């Protein structure tokens, strides 16, 4: 089984099935199609499937031309999981959020696996790319696959290979970002390396699926902890009357031993605000409390409240209350220059201000209509920034510092600015750093 699968992966006659056609799955589709594989994409959202069939994109940094090229190469998208039987490889790229108790929610992964199970057959490889706690692949996926009478490592092959997509990053692509891969067995690992070796420039093998799962968590916990540090430093520096962004710029001139991280209104994206809690939850099974990681999470989670306090203070300084004030939030994507709103702290900030009675609006050139989100809802469209529209708001918050904003016009026309991103270097009476 293994040798036949690897031969098909090497000669590109293997059919690749990718489940979940979002910010992780769709770039993988394009890469495998570009490399000459026939690709089937699976998604539960008919609108995505229909858009792809028309050659349209729904992710800003992925051009429609790339979708059209994949279609011409034989790519098809479907909501019919029965077609999983056609695939030699099934790559799962679905969300792994937290539940209301800040515990791992594997419902998307397990629901997807259960939907695929009736259609599994001997000779397939299943790869999980969704970020999760160590043990998920071994404890949840492997037993389900074996319940079909398939011996993992002999009849079917299972690996964990964490996604490393960075939407909007022009310096690295799906092909050039090294790919970590760990298998349930040596045979699984060999098949996994063949799966990704044909489309990724460098594949990094690790000893187990658990090591691969923890690798992904370490990468994002590293960022979460360091961002938590600078967010706490921001509060200290502000109290001392020091601009933390000036300090970071100065520290970054040291050519060794320092990596700059930047504060903001909180953590966003599909990984950094969530991944640490996957590890802290699993660590409790081993009688461990990850105090350092949890403290960083507390600091980062408190940032929207810190910004609200800054907005309140700024409005008070001009004899206005939050209640009844018109507040414009600039940027609702979780980071600059992308259309990705997942876990964006800007949306939490909007909700907190709305709950205090503010009249909320937003402007984001990458998100013209407030997107559908699992936990947040606003019936809003992006405000076009003009001198007149800016002047109509009591306060403007720089929440996500997209390059397409005209910061000089914003500075000159807004009555009051709360800058969460250190965009304004020169102090001004109407600009408050947050």
């Amino acid at each position: 089984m293994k040798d036949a699968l690897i031969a098909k992966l090497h000669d590109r006659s293997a059919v690749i099935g990718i489940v979940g056609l979002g910010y992780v799955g769709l770039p993988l589709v394009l890469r495998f199609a570009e490399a000459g594989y026939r690709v089937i994409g699976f998604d539960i959202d008919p609108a995505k499937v229909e858009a792809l069939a028309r050659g349209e994109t729904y992710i800003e940094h992925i051009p429609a031309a790339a979708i059209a090229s994949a279609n011409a190469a034989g790519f098809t998208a479907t909501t019919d999981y029965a077609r999983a039987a056609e695939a030699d490889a099934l790559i799962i790229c679905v969300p792994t959020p937290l539940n209301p108790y800040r515990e791992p929610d594997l419902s998307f992964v397990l629901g997807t696996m259960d939907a695929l199970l009736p259609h599994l057959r001997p000779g397939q490889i299943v790869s999980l790319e969704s970020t999760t706690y160590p043990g998920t692949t071994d404890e949840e996926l492997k037993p389900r696959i074996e319940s079909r009478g398939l011996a993992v490592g002999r009849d079917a092959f299972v690996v964990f290979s964490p996604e490393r997509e960075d939407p909007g990053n022009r310096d690295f692509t799906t092909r050039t970002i090294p790919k970590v891969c760990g298998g349930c067995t040596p045979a699984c690992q060999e098949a996994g390396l063949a799966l990704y070796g044909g489309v990724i420039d460098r594949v990094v093998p690790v000893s187990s699926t658990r090591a691969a799962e923890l690798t992904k968590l370490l990468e994002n916990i590293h960022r979460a902890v360091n961002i938590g540090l600078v967010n706490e430093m921001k509060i200290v520096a502000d109290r001392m009357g020091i601009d933390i962004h000036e300090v970071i710029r100065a520290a970054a001139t040291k050519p060794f031993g320092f990596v700059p991280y930047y504060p903001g209104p909180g953590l966003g994206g599909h990984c950094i605000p969530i991944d640490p809690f996957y590890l802290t939850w699993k660590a409790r099974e081993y009688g461990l409390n990850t105090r350092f990681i949890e403290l960083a999470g507390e600091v980062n989670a408190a940032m929207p409240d810190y910004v609200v306090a800054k907005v309140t203070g700024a409005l008070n300084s001009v004899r206005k209350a939050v209640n009844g004030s018109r507040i414009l939030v600039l940027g609702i994507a979780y980071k600059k220059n992308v259309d990705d709103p997942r876990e964006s702290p800007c949306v939490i900030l909007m909700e907190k201000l709305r709950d205090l009675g503010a009249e909320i609006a937003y402007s984001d050139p990458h998100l013209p209509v407030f997107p559908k989100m699992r936990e947040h809802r606003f019936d809003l469209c992006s405000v076009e920034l003009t001198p007149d529209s800016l002047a109509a708001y009591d306060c403007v918050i720089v929440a996500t510092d997209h390059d397409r904003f005209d910061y000089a016009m914003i500075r000159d026309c807004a009555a009051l600015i709360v800058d969460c991103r250190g965009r304004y270097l020169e102090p001004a009476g109407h600009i408050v750093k947050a």
Side-chain angles (χ1 to χ4, degrees), residues 307-354:
V307 175
V308 169
K310 282 290 189 176
V311 171
T312 302
L315 287 168
N316 282 345
S317 71
V318 293
R319 299 179 179 275
K320 292 183 179 179
V322 173
N323 191 355
S325 288
R326 302 188 72 223
I327 298 177
L328 178 66
V329 175
L330 300 185
I332 60 169
Y334 83 88
K335 69 171 187 173
K336 64 191 288 186
N337 303 334
V338 301
D339 63 343
D340 188 348
R342 290 174 294 174
E343 307 298 329
S344 174
C346 311
V347 178
I348 297 172
L349 177 61
M350 291 170 65
E351 288 180 335
K352 288 180 177 292
L353 291 167
R354 178 184 62 186

Side-chain angles (χ1 to χ4, degrees), residues 45-291:
D45 184 352
K48 287 183 179 178
V49 169
E50 293 164 7
L52 293 170
R54 295 191 297 267
E56 298 173 0
T57 185
Y58 42 81
I59 298 176
E60 186 181 49
H61 67 275
I62 295 177
I67 307 296
S69 295
N71 288 348
F75 165 61
T76 57
T78 182
T79 58
D80 182 8
Y81 278 55
R83 292 194 62 191
E86 301 175 32
D88 299 290
L90 290 165
I91 303 175
I92 299 172
C93 310
V94 296
T96 45
L98 298 171
N99 69 20
Y101 305 102
R102 308 299 284 174
E103 296 171 338
D105 177 2
L106 291 183
S107 61
F108 293 94
V109 169
L110 301 184
T112 296
M113 193 69 250
D114 290 342
L116 293 172
L117 279 181
H119 315 293
L120 296 186
R121 56 172 175 78
Q124 289 177 312
I125 180 172
V126 176
S127 174
L128 178 61
E129 295 211 0
S130 307
T131 305
T132 187
Y133 58 79
T136 300
T137 308
D138 282 341
E139 297 166 6
E140 299 290 351
L141 267 62
K142 183 172 177 282
R144 282 172 164 79
I145 293 168
E146 291 185 329
S147 73
R148 289 278 296 162
L150 300 170
V152 169
R154 186 191 69 196
D155 305 318
F157 308 92
V158 181
V159 299
F160 182 81
S161 182
E163 61 86 10
R164 281 175 161 174
E165 284 296 320
D166 186 16
N169 190 326
R170 298 180 180 178
D171 296 326
F172 299 98
T173 65
T174 302
R175 175 178 180 172
T176 61
I177 299 171
K179 200 88 170 72
V180 172
C181 184
C184 286
T185 70
C188 293
Q189 178 74 312
E190 193 176 344
L193 297 180
L195 170 63
Y196 290 109
V199 294
I200 308 296
D201 289 348
R202 181 188 175 200
V203 182
V204 181
V206 293
S207 61
S208 65
T209 57
R210 291 171 183 252
E213 288 159 342
L214 188 56
T215 297
K216 173 63 173 179
L217 293 182
L218 176 61
E219 293 170 9
N220 288 315
I221 289 169
H222 166 85
R223 286 187 57 80
V225 167
N226 280 280
I227 293 171
L229 172 64
V230 296
N231 275 330
E232 189 165 68
M233 288 285 289
K234 170 180 71 174
I235 297 171
V236 174
D238 180 69
R239 190 66 60 88
M240 294 179 173
I242 302 168
D243 184 347
I244 189 62
H245 290 275
E246 178 187 3
V247 172
I248 294 170
R249 289 193 299 271
T253 63
K254 184 179 180 181
F256 54 89
F258 181 84
V259 176
Y261 289 84
Y262 299 93
L267 285 183
H270 62 298
C271 285
I272 300 176
I274 293 173
D275 294 359
F277 293 98
Y278 270 71
L279 183 61
T280 58
W281 179 84
K282 187 65 175 180
R284 295 190 191 105
E285 182 181 316
Y286 296 85
L288 299 172
N289 293 314
T290 51
R291 290 176 293 172

Side-chain angles (χ1 to χ4, degrees), residues 167-169 333-339 366 399-403 407 421 423:
N169 190 326
Y334 83 88
K335 69 171 187 173
K336 64 191 288 186
N337 303 334
V338 301
D339 63 343
H366 302 274
T400 302
D401 54 334
H402 295 307
D403 288 339
Y407 291 96
R421 297 289 184 175
R423 195 74 196 206

